[in-house]
């Protein structure tokens, strides 16, 4: 069976996109459909390559029973050839991804995470890196909401 390939992208790949990946995987497992998707996350910047996610984001995730499995990597041109969907956390990620995107053989559809927000479709997932702990919880709540609708969309558009 072909598994759909999803890549979540933010700037540093240590806060928002690892949480998006972790929440997405957690929801898939709850639904018993984990084997239908291949999931990863990446950053548009290479500040923290090989690092684990930010400790504050790991703690927030664990408080909701979510684990954050992946190590930081940078998004590449190849990702556009291999993934079905690349999901950006904010508009500046979309702008940066547009400069990484190759001109030929692109497979990936580029989407914005909050396009799937049933409360506010017009925002970004805010960067919590320089703020307090409440910002990390806010990111979790947004990503839970958005990924619930995103999975619903994916399952309806097979
Ligand atoms: P992220 O947050 O894009 O959600 O991973 C950031 C992490 C690190 C930095 C900026 C944003 N930084 O400047 O190091």
């Amino acid at each position: 069976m072909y598994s759909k390939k999803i890549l979540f992208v933010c700037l540093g790949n240590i806060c928002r996109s690892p949480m998006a990946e972790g929440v997405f995987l957690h929801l898939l497992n709850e639904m018993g459909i984990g084997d239908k998707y291949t999931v990863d996350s990446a950053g548009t910047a290479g500040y923290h390559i090989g690092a684990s996610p930010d400790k504050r984001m790991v703690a927030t995730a664990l408080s909701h029973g979510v684990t954050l499995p992946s190590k930081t990597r940078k998004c590449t041109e190849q990702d556009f050839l291999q993934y079905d969907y690349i999901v950006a956390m904010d508009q500046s990620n979309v702008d940066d991804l547009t400069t990484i995107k190759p001109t030929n053989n692109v497979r990936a559809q580029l989407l914005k995470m909050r396009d799937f927000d049933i409360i506010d479709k017009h925002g970004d997932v805010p960067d919590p890196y320089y703020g307090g702990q409440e910002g990390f919880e806010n990111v979790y709540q947004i990503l839970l909401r958005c990924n619930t609708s995103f999975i619903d969309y994916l399952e309806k558009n097979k």
Side-chain angles (χ1 to χ4, degrees), residues 9-19 42-45 47-48 54 56-57 72 89-90 93 125-130 136 139:
V9 174
C10 62
L11 176 64
N13 191 214
I14 56 168
C15 296
R16 292 166 293 173
S17 59
M19 182 64 112
T44 57
Y47 305 143
H48 306 275
D54 186 289
R56 298 164 294 176
M57 199 49 111
T72 300
M89 297 298 116
D90 66 27
N93 305 147
V125 180
D127 186 348
Y129 190 67
Y130 294 105
F136 291 82
V139 166

Side-chain angles (χ1 to χ4, degrees), residues 87-89 111-126 137-153:
V87 186
M89 297 298 116
L111 303 173
K112 242 178 107 175
M113 186 84 268
R114 286 198 87 166
D115 290 345
F116 295 94
D117 194 331
I118 52 168
I119 295 177
D120 175 9
K121 288 196 189 319
H122 302 290
D124 293 327
V125 180
E137 176 63 22
N138 183 41
V139 166
Y140 168 77
Q141 295 296 339
I142 292 168
L143 291 174
L144 179 62
R145 216 160 59 221
C146 293
N147 272 318
T148 301
S149 320
F150 183 39
I151 292 170
D152 192 42
Y153 167 83

